[in-house]
């Protein structure tokens, strides 16, 4: 499956792209914090986790829909990728952590230089060479070096060592550098959004008007324990109660494809997810085309395919096929009961 087809067959990506098409989203700017790292607040309503956001942004860039722009950077642990790091200074000579740090002071009138502690007394700052009391303008701070309490070395630059929050011990050279990007719609892609996005809510609205419990961009949990995303899910008659819908297998799961062509992998993905959640019926709706291999697989796996370039006609066809599938399911149940 191509990157573009994969993106356009994902209901969460569809919702994001529609928001961009409608002008509700423009630039996706990162926000950085020590607690959360790099976040994209505008994407919280579309995705469930930061890892899902990262995967989505990477795939949208690969598909050529979003264009990244470097706006910041962050150093992370190369092993676990966490940004939470603690820094410690070591003696570059013996590696000891037993260090002290103090300013070196010069008394210009007599030329004496020493650590600040040698100038301090109960009477204030006094030059240990000439004995003259010193005020702020009588001396100057030259540097603030480190002193190793183990080997007695004095140095200006210690060796830095890092510990990440997961316990990995790192040198400065081993830290991983990560660019932080903002994202915008790639030039010339707005016309593509007009073609490839569809309002899934408009597809399920007629189903609700028929008294069905139907949800756009829905998630259903399979027998494997995996939560699967669908463009829409129909649970059944609203009179059965919408509160317990998550506890029953869906009557029908649907996948909306706005890419130019529905391929065999698209059919296989829907079949695998539908089988896991125990859906009675499966449907693919597309404003594009369907290749012959995909059409043949759909027939074998009992997947209905609905095609139309007109959004209203597509919604009407989806309603007809869903109601037909439900009637067939009810007829099968009645026949099984009589048997």
């Amino acid at each position: 499956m191509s990157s573009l087809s994969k993106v356009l067959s994902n209901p969460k990506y569809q919702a994001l792209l529609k928001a961009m098409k409608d002008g509700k989203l423009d630039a996706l700017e990162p926000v950085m914090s020590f607690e959360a790292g790099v976040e994209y607040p505008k994407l919280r309503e579309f995705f469930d986790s930061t890892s899902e956001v990262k995967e989505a942004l990477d795939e949208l860039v690969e598909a050529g829909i979003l264009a990244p722009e470097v706006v910041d950077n962050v150093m992370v642990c190369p092993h676990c990728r966490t940004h939470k790091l603690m820094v410690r200074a070591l003696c570059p000579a013996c590696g000891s952590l037993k260090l002290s740090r103090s300013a070196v002071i010069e008394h210009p009138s007599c030329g004496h230089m020493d650590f600040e502690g040698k100038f301090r007394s109960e009477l204030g700052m006094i030059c240990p060479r000439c004995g003259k009391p010193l005020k702020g303008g009588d001396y100057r701070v030259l540097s603030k070096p480190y002193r190793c309490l183990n080997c007695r070395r004095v140095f200006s630059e210690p060796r830095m060592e890092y510990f990440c929050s997961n316990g990995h011990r790192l040198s400065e050279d081993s830290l991983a550098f990560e660019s932080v990007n903002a994202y915008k719609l790639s030039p010339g892609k707005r016309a593509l959004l007009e073609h490839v996005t569809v309002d899934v809510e408009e597809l399920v609205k007629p189903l609700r008007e028929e008294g069905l419990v139907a949800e756009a961009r829905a998630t259903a949990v399979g027998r494997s324990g995996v939560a699967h995303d669908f463009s829409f899910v129909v649970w059944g008659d609203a009179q059965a109660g919408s509160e317990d819908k998550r506890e029953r297998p869906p009557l029908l799961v649907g996948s909306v494809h706005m890419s130019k062509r529905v391929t065999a992998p698209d059919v296989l993905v829907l079949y695998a997810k539908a089988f896991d959640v125990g859906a009675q019926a499966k449907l693919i709706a597309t404003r594009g085309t369907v290749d012959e291999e995909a059409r043949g697989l759909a027939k074998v796996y009992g997947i209905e395919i609905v095609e139309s370039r007109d959004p209203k006609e597509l919604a009407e066809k989806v309603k007809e096929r869903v109601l037909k599938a439900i009637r067939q399911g009810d007829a099968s149940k009645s026949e099984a009961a009589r048997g």
Side-chain angles (χ1 to χ4, degrees), residues 154-323:
V154 175
F155 46 91
S156 59
E157 294 185 5
R159 176 162 61 89
M160 308 307 292
E161 184 176 66
Y162 298 79
F163 285 88
C164 82
S165 57
N166 293 313
H168 298 116
R169 187 172 178 174
L170 311 160
S171 67
E172 191 166 12
D173 290 340
S174 67
L175 291 175
F177 176 89
E178 285 190 356
S179 295
V180 178
N181 296 323
Y183 297 87
K184 289 185 178 180
L185 188 65
S186 295
K189 293 299 183 182
R190 188 160 296 280
L192 173 66
L193 293 191
E194 293 291 339
H195 174 72
V196 302
T197 56
V198 67
D199 191 343
V200 183
E201 284 290 344
E202 291 300 313
L203 288 180
V204 301
K205 184 179 178 181
L207 302 177
R208 297 193 188 112
E209 292 172 351
E210 293 291 331
L212 298 173
V213 176
E215 188 175 313
R217 295 182 292 278
T219 299
V221 178
R223 288 164 287 193
S224 65
V226 175
H228 299 289
D229 295 322
F230 297 95
S231 298
F232 63 94
V233 175
V234 179
W235 275 275
D237 196 319
Q239 293 180 353
S242 59
E243 293 78 9
D244 65 339
K245 66 185 180 184
R246 300 291 183 184
E247 300 176 6
R248 337 179 231 134
L251 284 178
L252 180 143
V253 292
S255 179
V256 178
H257 291 258
M258 295 297 104
S259 54
K260 294 181 179 180
R261 181 177 294 273
V262 175
T263 62
D266 297 324
V267 175
L268 293 173
V269 168
L270 177 61
Y271 175 76
K273 295 195 297 183
F275 178 81
D276 191 29
V277 301
Q280 296 178 26
K282 307 163 283 292
L283 183 147
I284 289 177
T286 179
R287 289 171 59 187
T289 58
V290 184
D291 69 26
E292 290 308 311
E293 184 182 8
R295 203 178 295 279
L297 279 175
K299 187 175 181 179
V300 170
Y301 291 130
I303 297 176
E304 290 274 359
I305 296 181
V306 178
E307 304 167 69
S308 178
R309 294 188 180 277
D310 180 75
K312 292 183 179 179
E313 184 182 23
L314 187 67
E316 187 60 32
K317 285 186 175 182
V318 167
K319 184 182 81 169
E320 291 175 2
R321 296 297 178 89
V322 169
L323 293 176

Side-chain angles (χ1 to χ4, degrees), residues 8-49:
L8 298 180
S9 64
N10 186 307
K12 291 185 179 180
Y13 294 2
Q14 272 281 323
L16 170 60
L17 295 178
K18 185 176 185 303
M20 298 185 76
K21 183 193 76 171
D22 295 343
K24 296 177 182 178
L25 280 181
D26 186 14
L28 303 177
E29 299 286 351
V31 173
M32 300 186 61
S33 68
F34 182 76
E35 186 59 34
V38 181
E39 287 189 300
Y40 294 85
K42 292 181 180 179
L43 297 182
R44 288 173 184 162
E45 65 176 284
F46 301 97
F47 302 102
D48 300 326
S49 65

